[in-house]
Every structure is written in C-alpha cells, then in structure tokens.
Amino acid sequence: MHWTTNQRSPSVYRVTAVGTRSPIRSSIGLKAVMAVTGILLVLFLIAHMLGNLKIFVGPTSFDHYAHWLRTIGSPVLPDTWYLWIQRSVLGIALVAHIWSATVLARRARAARPVRYAHRPKVQGSYAARTMRWGGVIIALFVVYHLLDLTTGDLNPVGDPRRPYANVAADFAPERWYVTLLYVVAIVTLGFHLRHGMFSAFRSLGQQTPRGERRARAVALGFSVALCAGYLVVPFAVIAGLVR
C-alpha cells in the first residue's frame, strides 16, 4: 500500500490509500485459476467417461463399479462421503472457472468501450463466440444430471442400488428428449473444450503457424474422442445394445 496526494487542488491536500490488487484477481491470476480448474475438470471428465464405458461389460460389472465408488475411503470415511467431497471440490472448481472467465470477459469489454462498426464474420471461431453461453448450458446440465442419475429424483427407476437400470431407463427410446438434452450438452462441452485447449496451447507459446495447426489438431481430436466416449452410451441404449 502506498499514499498519494491530490495534485488538482494545491491548497487542499487529500491523502488517499491506494491498495494493491490481490494477485489472484489480476488478469494473470484469473487465467491461472481458469487453467488449474480447467485441468481438474478435464481429468474428472476423462475418469467419468471411462467409468461410463464399463456399462458395455454388463450390469454386474457396472453395478459393482458404481458400488465401489460409494465405498472409496472406507472405513475412514462413511459410504458416499468421498463422492460428496469430490462433488464439492468439482462444484467449487466449476464456480471458480465460470467466475474467472466472466471477470476476464468484462475486463476485455471495458478495455474496448467502443464497439467495432463492423466485425468480419471470419473473426473468431464458432466455439470462441459461444464460450459464455456454452458454459451456462454445461452448468445447467450438471444440475440436471445430478438430479437424474445421482439423487434419482428425475430418473424413471431412481434406485441407487441399480445404476445400470437407471442408465438404461434414462435413455430409453420413449425418453428421446432426455437423450437430445444430453447430446446438446455434450456437443456444447466439446466446443468448449476445443476452444479452451487451443487457447491454453497458445498461452504456452504455440503461436507459430505450425504450432497453431498442431494445437488445433490436438484440441479437436481430444474433444471429438471425449464426446464420442460420452455419446456412445445413450446411443447404445437406443440401439438396444444396453438394456
């Protein structure tokens, strides 16, 4: 903290305190928060996708896996405590990710108070233009997903002892609207990941034409693979491969 005087009024000196901004609230600090929380969320998405794919092994294996998740940490932790700790950490990470992105976006707009008279349509990708509302869609879907397959309030079966049956009933053909919502959320997530990963690679120095091409290819390949891993489950239920 340092002290300044008001130079506009020579006869009256007004002393004010100018505080320094917290490092975490600086633009660099906010980008670091976005990076750390983004990595944490991506690691969870990978682990969750791999767990979902166990449904193709069969009901017994999938139900056993779901039961094992509830008993992680036992006997130190009571049943399901680990899952709720994990959900709390991921929830905090998601809120911090959205908060830092929102603050950075507002600062970017404030730094350019006059809008462009004309912005070419080629400027920015589709994913870049939809990052903000895409994040909102993903956050709302997370809430629905918890109420559906975690608490069972919105699931036709809603039995925590039968997770395989819960998933099969959730994506049944007559519940096409649930599958449609799931597809929209996962595709939106794919766009979000593609743009986020590409931006992260650029921040790490991949700004040459060759480096950017590689970054785009890696970001696209990872996003497509992750989306496919999630979407194969509801489509398998509709096709009758999972019953």
Side-chain angles (χ1 to χ4, degrees):
M1 178 178 291
H2 63 276
W3 301 93
T4 62
T5 57
N6 188 346
Q7 300 296 330
R8 292 176 297 178
S9 179
S11 58
V12 179
Y13 291 91
R14 184 177 63 187
V15 180
T16 58
V18 180
T20 58
R21 175 179 291 172
S22 171
I24 201 172
R25 300 192 64 180
S26 66
S27 295
I28 295 178
L30 290 172
K31 289 180 180 179
V33 170
M34 284 193 66
V36 173
T37 55
I39 292 172
L40 180 63
L41 293 169
V42 168
L43 291 176
F44 167 75
L45 287 172
I46 295 173
H48 190 50
M49 178 199 70
L50 294 176
N52 287 350
L53 294 178
K54 289 185 69 65
I55 199 169
F56 293 104
V57 182
T60 302
S61 179
F62 188 76
D63 289 349
H64 177 75
Y65 164 72
H67 176 72
W68 171 76
L69 290 177
R70 297 187 180 95
T71 59
I72 293 179
S74 178
V76 177
L77 297 175
D79 285 358
T80 73
W81 271 44
Y82 167 79
L83 286 177
W84 285 108
I85 292 173
Q86 180 189 71
R87 290 162 190 157
S88 299
V89 172
L90 292 172
I92 293 172
L94 181 61
V95 171
H97 195 78
I98 295 174
W99 168 74
S100 55
T102 302
V103 174
L104 287 171
R106 288 179 177 176
R107 288 181 184 175
R109 286 198 301 268
R112 193 187 64 228
V114 179
R115 293 185 177 181
Y116 294 119
H118 174 69
R119 174 180 290 182
K121 291 184 178 180
V122 296
Q123 181 177 352
S125 65
Y126 176 81
R129 295 194 300 269
T130 58
M131 282 291 281
R132 297 188 190 109
W133 61 258
V136 174
I137 290 177
I138 295 169
L140 293 176
F141 173 75
V142 168
V143 175
Y144 173 83
H145 195 59
L146 289 173
L147 293 174
D148 182 15
L149 292 175
T150 300
T151 66
D153 294 318
L154 301 179
N155 189 272
V157 176
D159 188 349
R161 298 166 300 180
R162 302 168 59 202
Y164 183 97
N166 292 338
V167 174
D170 202 32
F171 298 116
E174 61 271 15
R175 287 170 57 85
W176 59 267
Y177 50 90
V178 174
T179 302
L180 178 62
L181 173 64
Y182 190 84
V183 170
V184 170
I186 296 301
V187 172
T188 302
L189 175 65
F191 279 112
H192 198 89
L193 283 174
R194 174 178 172 270
H195 179 70
M197 290 187 65
F198 174 70
S199 299
F201 286 136
R202 291 200 63 184
S203 299
L204 293 174
Q206 295 291 343
Q207 297 183 10
T208 64
R210 184 177 182 181
E212 288 201 355
R213 287 195 298 270
R214 288 180 176 177
R216 290 183 186 278
V218 172
L220 177 61
F222 176 82
S223 301
V224 170
L226 193 74
C227 289
Y230 275 99
L231 293 179
V232 69
V233 174
F235 290 151
V237 175
I238 292 176
L241 300 177
V242 174
R243 300 180 181 178

